Amino acid sequence: MMEITNTIIEKHGLKIEEYKNIKKLLNRNPNLLELGIFSAMWNEHCSYKSSRIHLKKLPTKGKQVIQGPGENAGVVDIGDDDAIVFKIESHNHPSYIEPYQGAATGVGGILRDVFTMGARPIALLNSIHFGSPSHPKTKGLLNGVVSGIGGYGNCIGIPTVAGETKFNETYNENILVNAMAVGHVKKDKIFYSKAKGVGKSVVYVGSKTGRDGIHGASMASAEFDENSEEKKPTVQVGDPFTEKLLLEACLELMRDDSIIAIQDMGAAGLTSSSVEMASKGSLGIELNLDKVPCREENMTPYEIMLSESQERMLIILENGMEEKAKKIFEKWDLNFTIIGKTTNTKKLTLKYKDKTEGEIPIDALAANAPVYDRKWTRKNYNKNKFDFKKLKKIKIEEALIKILSSPNHSNKSWITNQYDQMVMCDTAQRSGSDAAIIRIHNKDKAIAVSVDSSANYCKSHPITGGKQIVCENWRNLISVGARPLAITNCLNFGNPENHEIMGEFAECLEGIKEACEFLNYPVVSGNVSFYNGTNKRNILPTPVIGGVGLIKKIFKPLGHSFKKDKSILIKIGKTFGHLEQSCFLKENYSIIEGRPPEVNLTNEKNNGEAVLKLINENLIESSHDVSNGGLLVALSEMAINSNFGAKIDKPKKLNNLIEYYFGEDQGRYILEVSEDNFKKVEKTLKNGNIYFEKIGVTQEKFFEIEGELKIDLNNLFKINNQWYNNY
Amino acid sequence: MKFSVIVTLKKDVLDPQGKVVLNTLVNLGIDNLKSIRQGKYFEIDVDEVDQVKAEKQINQMCEKLLVNLIIENYKISKIK
Amino acid sequence: MKFSVIVTLKKDVLDPQGKVVLNTLVNLGIDNLKSIRQGKYFEIDVDEVDQVKAEKQINQMCEKLLVNLIIENYKISKIK
Amino acid sequence: MKSSVIVFPGSNCDRDIATALEKMQFKNQMVWHKETSLPKSDLIVIPGGFSYGDYLRSGAIAGKSIIIDEVIKAANSGCLILGICNGFQILTETGLLKGTLLRNRDLKFINRDVNIKVMNNETKFTSKYKLNEILKINIAHNEGNFFTDSKHRDQLKKENLVAFKYCDEKGNISEGSNPNGSIDNIAGIYNSKKNILGMMPHPERMIDQIISNTDGVNLFTSLMN
Ligand SMILES: Nc1ncnc2c1ncn2[C@@H]1O[C@H](COP(=O)(O)OP(=O)(O)O)[C@@H](O)[C@H]1O
Ligand SMILES: [Mg+2]
């Protein structure tokens, strides 16, 4: 037998201390297969060892929650007998190495998380972060990632309806690719991953196992170094066609009660899926590895257990259902093989050619996996106010154009046109608005979905940043008339062994927790991705929030483009003119300084509830939240893509125009109200004690502030649409 | 000078297309197929008379654009 | 017995892929490119020792499935 | 009216078209590609999607499936056949329609609403439209770049077999309004008996104001007649 040296231990991403612990748990030395299994289960990606104690603090309960974190995906109640299943996941490192396949398999993986629970996926979203546009790799990565996301989603036939795309040089060598999937299920047809019963068949379905991504799970959470590009041959190739078959076959089998437990094979493939099912059910599992369908010849038990081949699932079947299930998978041309059974040993037992090749107590892999309370430090805040006087003066028009034509703010249709947004015929609001709207098939209710992040805010003040993203996400759902229900989150951070990074993580979570609690907006699923960075340069702290909201009766999607001439534009929420950390400073002066805007949760909630009420009473023509870029950017986004411009007033109180038009104060919305409805709206807002201002009217042809700027609508469109096309 | 470039998937890399094509051929009644792998083919004509130089150029094109070196191999041959 | 099949678009059929690849390479600074056409490549392994028979089979596969004879040509060669 | 929708592994607009047909009062049946016979139908639809993952050539493998022989028989006996998107690609692979669909000009998948013009309204598929009516219909494809030889091109013109052409909002048919590089801006064609229509745009996506618009409705009401 191969001797386990320190090098081998390190290559498996395990610390010497952890290895000692393994020996203690086993009461002996592990063999290589067992070591590989420990390394897969104990790495950051599967064990959440650095994040678990912080994640526990997040609010996860609520009347609307059917299933919180801990399953393949979270589940919320949307009334009647319908539920929504959703989750977000990162595929950052694989996407940097091979952008097309990395992004594609990221989409494939998150889809499996959702349909494993019995749900038919109805929408895909993504949050993608790239390095500086001028970095030589960025363009290729952007192209590859976008076509990979599209390639998978389009082929399997699930609409990709929303997302966000951002550039910042801290992602130069470590892009972020987070994919979110949303599915619909009947409440009494939800499937879980907890094994039950001894002697039940453990069934392997889907694609064959190849040598893909071996060490992938370990790779995904090991810091990159110069050699990482050599780790290429383990790249997983996605096969969306097979996934489509797998989806249909699983949903077909799920019509009756054959399935006891089901779990997709994601990171750490067969290892984590079998261990998780056994662990949740306090059972053992015995696998005959010779039975596993293999794509290549002479695959070793080690390779079989650690392969990350895509499009595979593990199912525990009720006795006697094997034949029936087999027929279904064969109809869909998929492998179906009984590879083992559940046992009462509480051990993972691996047999190969009639020999036991490995045997590990399930608890040692799961419950006894390491948990670290890593050291972390609170952020030191710079108390000095940023001095705006030293800035060179800039015209409002010039500043607006600069922002609207920047990579971060340019219209994303170059991306979204590569995604099929309409397949399934229930997309009532496509990309380009604050949130996408998906109708529940054959019903008149709908859900709204959005993903958001604000890495700069989180960097400068993690607690406020954490709060702010939750609020922005909530606002985006409110803006399209949806009642926000719950969120999923993908926490992309640097090296957790660095105290400051760990501090960013802990503090961002404090902020997220506070906002979620206040808004009754619980976390039902999520994913953590640490070690994003290269050679000690870490990415910005980038938690991404994916939210789902409910529209009880959909009559007409609002969208945020102006609908009518001479409508009255009102702004909800106060403007203080907060410019620190703003787009205005970043895009015009390359200054990223100071604090993010304050988040006032009470205002946030009151304003949001008021807007929701107005929309539900059908008093609003269009609505948009005010976020990055401030008031003027929000207003121009409403004009672009519509047939109307606006004539915007100058502020009555605040006399610094730049602060008024570009400040990023939170909790604000712009509503387009027709003249006929204005009185009613005014009354409702006054009665509710909601701060609002009339800020202008819509008009034909021009986007205008008297004496400051006047831009032809066609021009405004061009300004916002040229960057991607010229890149 | 004209070259052909054959681009194939590296060993052990999944070839979803090849897999489906193989199944289809088997279903069409061909029963002695052992394997099919699908790749890409390029015919490239460059205005260069020096073969060494030309090949170097084709190599460059492959590495820069035509081939995904992470999952693919390639082979250049002179046609005429 | 192992064969390769090269499938190319007929001469007067538009090759959008080749065209875009060509433009991209020109933009990357390669200035003496005359033309690029893109095609498909297959590596087929059949369980057959008689070369004539094997080739006949490969031909069949091409005509039945691999090649769209209206727009494509193909060429079979023995590899080993 | 009885309709059948053929389902291949990887079809993904099958449910969409079935929903549309039912909404338009067709009595619809789904037919799995391994079936050896077709239910009696007035209309057979080959839906959009990625049959067999679009592997090899889009539509190629579906074009070899068992049920296709039945579709060809039905077509020859005058049954109406509608191929949408991947369905169009499959029809060209089977030879029921001539020509082929190549990769889009820019080698990118395209999903957006485009304008198309009704070029012939004297067919079973389009009688409820006005001639030259401009429709806004969603397209979603990688390979919609219609190409055919000059002989067929002439035939299409002479026999008035072009169903739809890509155009701009005002109806101008130009390179600028051509999303994918199709020859003569062609978005859909008929066979010479005009009982088979293949089109890249998705009319089934345009039957509901809440989702998009209703520009696709008249295709179905035409067929109902
Ligand atoms: N990668 C992407 N995939 C899909 N949609 C995207 C992507 N990037 C941006 N979008 C869409 O572009 C629009 C603008 O994005 P963003 O400025 O981030 O919106 P917001 O500030 O309202 O969150 C949104 O509708 C979003 O869904
Ligand atoms: Mg928004």
Side-chain angles (χ1 to χ4, degrees):
Chain A
M1 203 175 81
M2 192 169 173
E3 201 204 332
I4 308 278
T5 60
N6 283 1
T7 328
I8 291 180
I9 294 166
E10 274 165 30
K11 275 225 165 112
H12 280 80
L14 289 162
K15 302 264 143 80
I16 301 300
E17 275 311 306
E18 291 173 332
Y19 182 69
K20 282 188 189 151
N21 197 2
I22 291 172
K23 287 201 290 194
K24 214 160 73 200
L25 285 166
L26 284 179
N27 247 324
R28 61 179 166 85
N29 289 344
N31 60 28
L32 189 66
L33 169 62
E34 291 165 334
L35 184 77
I37 287 172
F38 271 103
S39 92
M41 290 305 299
W42 281 19
N43 81 13
E44 197 60 62
H45 195 86
C46 287
S47 71
Y48 289 84
K49 58 190 169 192
S50 306
S51 55
R52 220 184 306 165
I53 60 161
H54 296 278
L55 294 176
K56 275 208 186 109
K57 298 175 193 156
L58 291 173
T60 59
K61 298 214 162 65
K63 263 209 326 246
Q64 68 275 43
V65 177
I66 294 178
Q67 174 66 52
E71 269 293 336
N72 283 301
V75 188
V76 291
D77 194 334
I78 57 162
D80 310 320
D81 49 358
D82 300 307
I84 294 295
V85 178
F86 64 105
K87 182 170 191 276
I88 190 168
E89 199 158 70
S90 68
H91 227 211
N92 303 338
H93 291 164
S95 301
Y96 179 72
I97 291 177
E98 212 306 290
Y100 184 95
Q101 297 298 344
T105 51
V107 172
I110 194 65
L111 281 171
R112 283 193 296 284
D113 276 329
V114 163
F115 71 77
T116 327
M117 299 204 66
R120 177 171 288 280
I122 56 173
L124 284 164
L125 297 87
N126 61 88
S127 163
I128 49 186
H129 288 72
F130 298 95
S132 153
S134 58
H135 188 275
K137 287 201 128 178
T138 300
K139 192 173 171 181
L141 289 166
L142 172 69
N143 258 309
V145 165
V146 169
S147 44
I149 292 172
Y152 210 97
N154 298 343
C155 181
I156 190 167
I158 293 149
T160 304
V161 296
E164 53 161 6
T165 313
K166 293 185 175 159
F167 300 89
N168 176 292
E169 71 275 358
T170 63
Y171 308 109
N172 278 354
E173 269 95 32
N174 195 122
I175 60 171
L176 301 184
V177 174
N178 294 180
M180 171 171 163
V182 183
H184 168 251
V185 67
K186 294 273 170 221
K187 266 186 230 165
D188 59 351
K189 274 290 175 192
I190 303 172
F191 287 81
Y192 297 97
S193 59
K194 179 179 169 182
K196 272 178 252 154
V198 172
K200 309 286 182 186
S201 296
V202 177
V203 178
Y204 172 115
V205 298
S207 283
K208 291 196 167 92
T209 297
R211 293 195 174 92
D212 321 80
I214 292 176
H215 281 315
S218 324
M219 177 185 83
S221 46
E223 215 167 333
F224 271 22
D225 57 42
E226 264 103 50
N227 295 330
S228 62
E229 289 186 39
E230 279 172 24
K231 290 181 187 161
K232 279 160 187 176
T234 58
V235 165
Q236 313 145 24
V237 171
D239 181 357
F241 169 60
T242 299
E243 178 119 322
K244 166 76 174 162
L245 305 183
L246 190 60
L247 161 68
E248 297 301 338
C250 286
L251 293 183
E252 195 171 325
L253 179 60
M254 284 163 168
R255 281 190 208 138
D256 63 26
D257 301 319
S258 319
I259 297 178
I260 297 173
I262 176 165
Q263 170 75 42
D264 67 299
M265 293 192 225
L270 198 46
T271 295
S272 69
S273 51
S274 53
V275 170
E276 273 171 39
M277 292 208 284
S279 163
K280 285 190 183 137
S282 299
L283 290 169
I285 216 163
E286 180 184 304
L287 301 178
N288 292 310
L289 298 181
D290 349 40
K291 297 255 171 70
V292 173
C294 288
R295 199 169 78 221
E296 316 293 343
E297 278 164 25
N298 305 323
M299 285 188 60
T300 62
Y302 181 93
E303 289 171 327
I304 293 171
M305 284 307 289
L306 296 183
S307 160
E308 295 199 338
S309 289
Q310 301 289 299
E311 292 91 24
R312 305 178 300 161
M313 293 267 193
L314 205 60
I315 300 177
I316 296 179
L317 273 185
E318 202 50 83
N319 291 339
M321 297 302 206
E322 291 85 351
E323 274 314 303
K324 190 183 159 206
K326 187 169 185 197
K327 270 212 186 101
I328 292 175
F329 283 88
E330 283 178 350
K331 168 184 162 193
W332 293 99
D333 295 322
L334 294 165
N335 291 292
F336 174 101
T337 316
I338 299 172
I339 61 167
K341 59 175 192 284
T342 55
T343 64
N344 59 7
T345 61
K346 295 200 181 186
K347 283 180 183 164
L348 174 69
T349 308
L350 303 172
K351 299 209 161 154
Y352 187 68
K353 306 207 161 137
D354 293 327
K355 258 181 59 196
T356 299
E357 293 284 335
E359 190 158 56
I360 311 174
I362 297 281
D363 280 349
L365 292 168
N368 295 326
V371 175
Y372 296 132
D373 186 358
R374 295 206 188 269
K375 261 227 164 84
W376 60 276
T377 51
R378 289 216 172 257
K379 186 113 193 166
N380 257 330
Y381 300 109
N382 184 355
K383 299 243 165 50
N384 300 337
K385 274 251 166 207
F386 180 73
D387 182 11
F388 291 98
K389 296 213 184 73
K390 66 181 187 201
L391 291 180
K392 222 177 82 201
K393 278 242 157 26
I394 190 169
K395 281 215 176 97
I396 290 181
E397 177 162 348
E398 197 186 324
L400 176 66
I401 291 175
K402 202 70 187 275
I403 296 174
L404 289 179
S405 60
S406 70
N408 277 316
H409 286 268
S410 284
N411 185 294
K412 308 293 188 304
S413 50
W414 180 88
I415 295 173
T416 54
N417 284 347
Q418 296 183 54
Y419 302 151
D420 192 342
Q421 304 192 51
M422 286 288 284
V423 62
M424 299 184 90
C425 290
D426 284 312
T427 309
Q429 175 66 59
R430 306 178 211 175
S431 273
S433 183
D434 289 321
I437 301 176
I438 310 295
R439 186 176 57 185
I440 302 305
H441 196 59
N442 282 336
K443 303 219 170 158
D444 58 4
K445 63 181 164 188
I447 56 162
V449 287
S450 173
V451 285
D452 297 276
S453 66
S454 305
N456 279 320
Y457 288 178
C458 289
K459 181 73 188 175
S460 82
H461 196 294
I463 298 182
T464 307
K467 270 195 265 187
Q468 190 274 341
I469 344 160
V470 174
C471 292
E472 178 169 352
N473 182 262
W474 146 284
R475 243 172 2 239
N476 278 325
L477 300 184
I478 297 265
S479 297
V480 301
R483 152 83 42 208
L485 292 177
I487 63 167
T488 180
N489 64 111
C490 194
L491 306 171
N492 306 278
F493 286 79
N495 187 337
E497 295 161 45
N498 170 322
H499 303 176
E500 277 167 33
I501 302 289
M502 201 56 214
E504 288 172 353
F505 182 80
E507 292 196 286
C508 275
L509 278 184
E510 283 178 21
I512 292 173
K513 165 185 160 36
E514 198 187 324
C516 287
E517 270 171 359
F518 194 89
L519 298 172
N520 179 22
Y521 200 27
V523 179
V524 296
S525 59
N527 175 248
V528 179
S529 172
F530 276 129
Y531 298 100
N532 289 291
T534 335
N535 292 339
K536 308 291 172 264
R537 184 191 193 184
N538 291 292
I539 61 158
L540 294 178
T542 318
V544 175
I545 301 291
V548 171
L550 173 65
I551 299 173
K552 275 205 179 128
K553 189 166 168 51
I554 177 170
F555 33 95
K556 174 188 76 182
L558 282 184
H560 70 201
S561 41
F562 291 140
K563 300 292 182 316
K564 287 184 178 161
D565 192 13
K566 300 195 179 63
S567 301
I568 296 164
L569 299 173
I570 61 175
K571 172 175 65 71
I572 308 274
K574 279 198 180 122
T575 301
F576 302 99
H578 185 100
L579 280 180
E580 290 182 349
Q581 289 296 335
S582 68
C583 286
F584 171 80
L585 288 183
K586 195 169 67 194
E587 302 299 348
N588 289 294
Y589 301 93
S590 303
I591 291 173
I592 303 175
E593 272 183 48
R595 285 208 184 196
E598 213 51 57
V599 174
N600 178 327
L601 291 171
T602 311
N603 281 346
E604 191 69 59
K605 188 165 185 176
N606 292 344
N607 294 355
E609 295 288 353
V611 170
L612 195 54
K613 186 157 185 270
L614 292 173
I615 294 176
N616 282 337
E617 285 170 9
N618 206 1
L619 295 173
I620 305 299
E621 303 303 316
S622 68
S623 71
H624 191 16
D625 73 309
V626 181
S627 60
N628 251 334
L631 189 62
L632 205 54
V633 169
L635 281 163
S636 32
E637 285 169 351
M638 297 177 84
I640 295 166
N641 288 328
S642 87
N643 297 318
F644 301 97
K647 187 158 182 169
I648 299 148
D649 306 335
K650 290 204 178 150
K652 283 157 204 110
K653 293 181 206 135
L654 207 67
N655 43 23
N656 182 324
L657 292 186
I658 295 285
E659 288 180 3
Y660 177 75
Y661 287 123
F662 296 104
E664 298 188 356
D665 313 292
Q666 298 293 298
R668 296 183 299 161
Y669 300 80
I670 301 168
L671 306 178
E672 178 192 354
V673 183
S674 68
E675 282 174 297
D676 299 346
N677 286 331
F678 183 71
K679 281 258 138 50
K680 272 193 219 155
V681 169
E682 197 176 27
K683 199 170 143 210
T684 310
L685 291 173
K686 280 191 176 149
N687 285 346
N689 261 330
I690 303 296
Y691 181 87
F692 73 100
E693 288 167 52
K694 241 170 99 173
I695 58 165
V697 290
T698 58
Q699 65 176 10
E700 287 190 324
K701 290 201 185 96
F702 292 101
F703 187 74
E704 174 177 16
I705 305 173
E706 211 166 62
E708 295 295 335
L709 65 82
K710 185 166 181 176
I711 308 176
D712 179 276
L713 270 188
N714 293 328
N715 263 341
L716 195 66
F717 179 86
K718 271 191 210 137
I719 289 163
N720 191 226
N721 275 277
Q722 65 203 4
W723 188 82
Y724 277 94
N725 294 327
N726 298 340
Y727 185 46
Chain B
M1 215 169 259
K2 212 167 173 178
F3 294 84
S4 76
V5 178
I6 289 173
V7 183
T8 49
L9 282 170
K10 285 185 182 165
K11 194 177 157 278
D12 288 355
V13 172
L14 175 70
D15 174 14
Q17 302 207 63
K19 191 173 96 182
V20 168
V21 169
L22 184 118
N23 286 344
T24 309
L25 286 168
V26 170
N27 288 341
L28 288 174
I30 296 167
D31 55 4
N32 60 345
L33 254 179
K34 291 209 298 206
S35 81
I36 287 203
R37 303 269 289 170
Q38 184 169 342
K40 280 184 212 138
Y41 176 81
F42 296 93
E43 242 167 58
I44 308 180
D45 197 355
V46 285
D47 199 0
E48 173 61 71
V49 283
D50 180 336
Q51 184 169 347
V52 179
K53 269 197 197 158
E55 278 189 22
K56 210 173 130 195
Q57 261 199 322
I58 307 279
N59 249 306
Q60 261 184 11
M61 295 182 205
C62 288
E63 309 208 338
K64 271 196 187 160
L65 183 70
L66 304 181
V67 185
N68 180 349
L69 294 167
I70 299 162
I71 51 176
E72 295 171 330
N73 292 321
Y74 67 98
K75 214 179 78 194
I76 299 175
S77 334
K78 185 158 178 285
I79 312 182
K80 70 173 185 219
Chain C
M1 214 170 261
K2 212 167 174 177
F3 293 84
S4 76
V5 177
I6 290 172
V7 181
T8 47
L9 281 171
K10 285 187 181 164
K11 247 230 205 92
D12 34 313
V13 175
L14 180 76
D15 175 16
Q17 305 201 57
K19 207 165 117 187
V20 171
V21 169
L22 185 116
N23 287 342
T24 314
L25 285 170
V26 170
N27 289 341
L28 286 174
I30 296 168
D31 54 4
N32 60 343
L33 257 178
K34 291 209 296 206
S35 82
I36 287 200
R37 303 271 293 170
Q38 185 168 341
K40 284 184 200 128
Y41 175 83
F42 298 92
E43 242 167 58
I44 308 181
D45 198 355
V46 286
D47 201 358
E48 174 59 69
V49 282
D50 179 337
Q51 185 170 347
V52 180
K53 269 198 198 154
E55 277 188 25
K56 208 173 131 196
Q57 262 198 324
I58 306 279
N59 248 306
Q60 260 185 10
M61 295 182 206
C62 288
E63 306 204 343
K64 269 197 188 162
L65 183 70
L66 301 181
V67 184
N68 180 347
L69 294 169
I70 301 168
I71 50 166
E72 294 170 329
N73 293 319
Y74 67 98
K75 212 178 79 194
I76 300 175
S77 336
K78 183 158 181 282
I79 313 185
K80 69 172 186 221
Chain D
M1 282 284 277
K2 289 202 178 87
S3 60
S4 296
V5 173
I6 315 279
V7 184
F8 299 99
S11 294
N12 62 35
C13 303
D14 47 337
R15 189 188 78 171
D16 300 353
I17 184 73
T19 307
L21 288 166
E22 276 154 25
K23 190 171 168 181
M24 299 294 160
Q25 312 299 325
F26 283 80
K27 279 186 87 107
N28 185 54
Q29 284 201 52
M30 306 305 269
V31 181
W32 182 238
H33 70 112
K34 282 181 185 164
E35 300 286 332
T36 48
S37 70
L38 272 169
K40 201 173 161 314
S41 353
D42 308 294
L43 170 71
I44 299 170
V45 184
I46 312 203
F50 283 68
S51 61
Y52 295 94
D54 264 4
Y55 298 151
L56 189 63
R57 296 180 305 277
S58 44
I61 298 176
K64 303 290 178 268
S65 50
I66 298 172
I67 195 72
I68 284 295
D69 293 338
E70 296 305 307
V71 174
I72 293 174
K73 262 190 236 156
N76 289 337
S77 66
C79 178
L80 294 175
I81 316 266
L82 170 61
I84 300 168
C85 197
N86 190 229
F88 186 11
Q89 294 161 344
I90 294 171
L91 289 175
T92 63
E93 279 285 340
T94 60
L96 284 173
L97 288 174
K98 279 189 243 170
T100 185
L101 293 141
L102 301 169
R103 280 295 295 276
N104 294 341
R105 181 185 46 211
D106 299 330
L107 303 191
K108 285 196 164 52
F109 187 93
I110 309 170
N111 175 226
R112 58 187 168 90
D113 294 349
V114 297
N115 295 296
I116 58 172
K117 194 182 231 177
V118 179
M119 303 303 291
N120 179 348
N121 68 339
E122 293 174 352
T123 75
K124 292 241 164 70
F125 297 89
T126 51
S127 59
K128 294 275 176 181
Y129 287 114
K130 292 198 231 33
L131 185 64
N132 293 330
E133 187 173 338
I134 300 161
L135 317 174
K136 196 169 198 178
I137 310 263
N138 195 253
I139 56 169
H141 57 247
N142 244 323
E143 277 137 349
N145 184 347
F146 183 74
F147 182 84
T148 196
D149 59 31
S150 52
K151 218 174 98 201
H152 184 216
R153 242 168 117 179
D154 290 342
Q155 188 199 3
L156 290 173
K157 236 178 260 164
K158 217 163 65 215
E159 298 177 30
N160 203 1
L161 301 178
V162 173
F164 306 102
K165 283 193 179 189
Y166 300 109
C167 63
D168 67 15
E169 277 170 358
K170 300 202 177 76
N172 300 312
I173 295 165
S174 63
E175 193 49 33
S177 58
N178 186 339
N180 53 22
S182 289
I183 206 161
D184 300 332
N185 278 42
I186 288 175
I189 59 165
Y190 301 103
N191 65 336
S192 35
K193 275 170 34 194
K194 298 198 184 74
N195 66 321
I196 306 177
L197 167 61
M199 61 191 294
M200 289 314 294
H202 285 272
E204 80 278 18
R205 296 184 178 188
M206 321 309 275
I207 55 159
D208 186 340
Q209 200 63 47
I210 286 185
I211 298 302
S212 48
N213 64 31
T214 51
D215 287 0
V217 167
N218 278 347
L219 189 109
F220 299 97
T221 50
S222 300
L223 285 165
M224 253 312 186
N225 264 12

